[in-house]
Amino acid sequence: MNKIYIGTNLKMYKNIQQTKDFLRGLIDNTKDLHDEINLFVIPSFTSLPAAMETAANSHIMIGAQNMHYEECGQFTGEVSPLMLEELNINIVEIGHSDRRNIFRETDTELNKKVISAVKHGFTALLCVGELLADKECAAADDILNMQIRRGLYNITQEEANNIWIAYEPVWAIGVNGTPAKLDYVQERHRNIKQELRALFPHNEIPVLFGGSVNRENASELIAADCVDGLFVGRAAWDAEGFNILIRNALHGWKNDFLIKDIIK
Ligand code: PGA
């Protein structure tokens, strides 16, 4: 990958004004980096129009946190791909751990969302991750492979160009999460890449890591084998702090290239 991927999901935290202020700060802080990173922000549904307006003509892509797979119908409380198309957003996040574990979305449902998202021209950011119990019985790779195979079922090679994966171990996410060890992250990412290559031999699908990413661990995580980007929660929600995290990550990524060049 010649550019790293860094983004944040604002979950159910920022209102419209806070989202606009955050984006303005982020655009200003990172405008010199537009050639080096694919930077994205995923605000709440209500903030999307304002976010699109604020980020217009900037280097920041905007995404939605969820989407229904049908274009219209009796689905009270849901948001359709056509409604998101009207806003011209770039990305749809699908299957975040909150969606899977609190709202009980299944792989089959998420697969329908992924298919619908790419058909409507969005980049589908499919989140996968194992529970602590899966990790403890050494079933993480099996679970991740299943989530990937089911989630990307019936996706064509061409559509795969619009898929990104976020690997987020459920036990590493949020205030009660335990940060994952670097070796562990690297092993899971290698496995995910292998699985993706088996499914889509002609595509290089980016795989981002998420779960307690912060400004201290960003540079070593991004330099880890098979990690193409970072998907950040809490540590990104202040534009200044996120800017520092991004610059640390870029530093780690570039150093890694330098080291590999020297070894070569
Ligand atoms: P966190 O959240 O960085 O606050 O752990 C990650 C996520 O939920 O994507």
Side-chain angles (χ1 to χ4, degrees):
M1 304 273 164
N2 52 7
K3 263 183 169 190
I4 56 174
Y5 295 74
I6 302 191
T8 180
N9 159 20
L10 302 181
K11 305 188 185 178
M12 201 175 72
Y13 285 103
K14 291 191 192 291
N15 63 22
I16 297 173
Q17 191 56 48
Q18 289 164 336
T19 303
K20 287 204 282 193
D21 293 345
F22 171 71
L23 276 167
R24 282 197 196 107
L26 192 62
I27 291 166
D28 205 42
N29 286 334
T30 59
K31 55 179 177 278
D32 57 315
L33 301 178
H34 62 94
D35 289 334
E36 301 181 77
I37 50 173
N38 293 303
L39 185 57
F40 62 97
V41 173
I42 307 190
S44 65
F45 281 120
T46 54
S47 299
L48 280 175
M52 284 305 293
E53 215 180 293
T54 312
N57 305 317
S58 80
H59 54 294
I60 297 185
M61 291 174 277
I62 300 292
Q65 296 180 12
N66 187 19
M67 182 194 83
H68 197 277
Y69 47 85
E70 292 289 354
E71 292 191 343
C72 58
Q74 296 203 47
F75 302 106
T76 304
E78 293 291 315
V79 173
S80 101
L82 296 183
M83 293 164 185
L84 294 179
E85 253 183 44
E86 276 188 302
L87 298 177
N88 276 322
I89 62 156
N90 316 95
I91 301 161
V92 178
E93 180 180 359
I94 296 168
H96 182 272
S97 128
D98 296 340
R99 302 302 318 170
R100 289 178 184 270
N101 300 305
I102 303 174
F103 300 100
R104 297 280 157 218
E105 292 188 11
T106 63
D107 283 322
T108 312
E109 216 175 337
L110 298 175
N111 175 239
K112 289 184 188 165
K113 294 186 179 197
V114 172
I115 291 173
S116 176
V118 292
K119 289 214 184 317
H120 286 88
F122 303 115
T123 292
L125 171 58
L126 176 66
C127 303
V128 296
E130 80 285 7
L131 300 170
L132 184 60
D134 304 323
K135 172 182 181 264
E136 281 171 351
C137 64
D141 289 340
D142 297 333
I143 298 290
L144 294 170
N145 292 349
M146 194 181 66
Q147 291 178 349
I148 286 170
R149 282 192 180 251
R150 285 183 169 167
L152 301 183
Y153 181 61
N154 273 338
I155 287 290
T156 64
Q157 299 286 331
E158 204 189 322
E159 287 166 342
N161 290 325
N162 294 321
I163 303 281
W164 300 349
I165 299 289
Y167 165 50
E168 302 196 285
V170 179
W171 47 270
I173 296 176
V175 267
N176 299 318
T178 312
K181 298 216 168 73
L182 192 60
D183 281 359
Y184 187 88
V185 173
Q186 198 153 264
E187 281 165 30
R188 302 294 80 72
H189 271 256
R190 283 191 187 128
N191 164 71
I192 291 169
K193 280 277 183 181
Q194 198 180 338
E195 193 64 17
L196 290 171
R197 284 193 191 117
L199 291 172
F200 304 102
H202 306 296
N203 301 75
E204 192 59 53
I205 297 180
V207 184
L208 288 66
F209 177 75
S212 293
V213 175
N214 56 41
R215 65 171 83 165
E216 281 79 35
N217 61 19
S219 69
E220 61 172 18
L221 283 168
I222 195 73
D225 200 20
C226 298
V227 176
D228 304 310
L230 301 173
F231 194 28
V232 193
R234 290 155 294 153
W237 296 340
D238 137 73
E240 276 297 319
F242 195 22
N243 178 41
I244 296 170
L245 188 158
I246 291 167
R247 285 171 198 277
N248 287 353
L250 266 174
H251 192 69
W253 185 61
K254 286 180 186 163
N255 267 353
D256 184 50
F257 270 125
L258 280 178
I259 292 163
K260 280 183 188 144
D261 257 9
I262 292 164
I263 294 169
K264 261 194 241 155

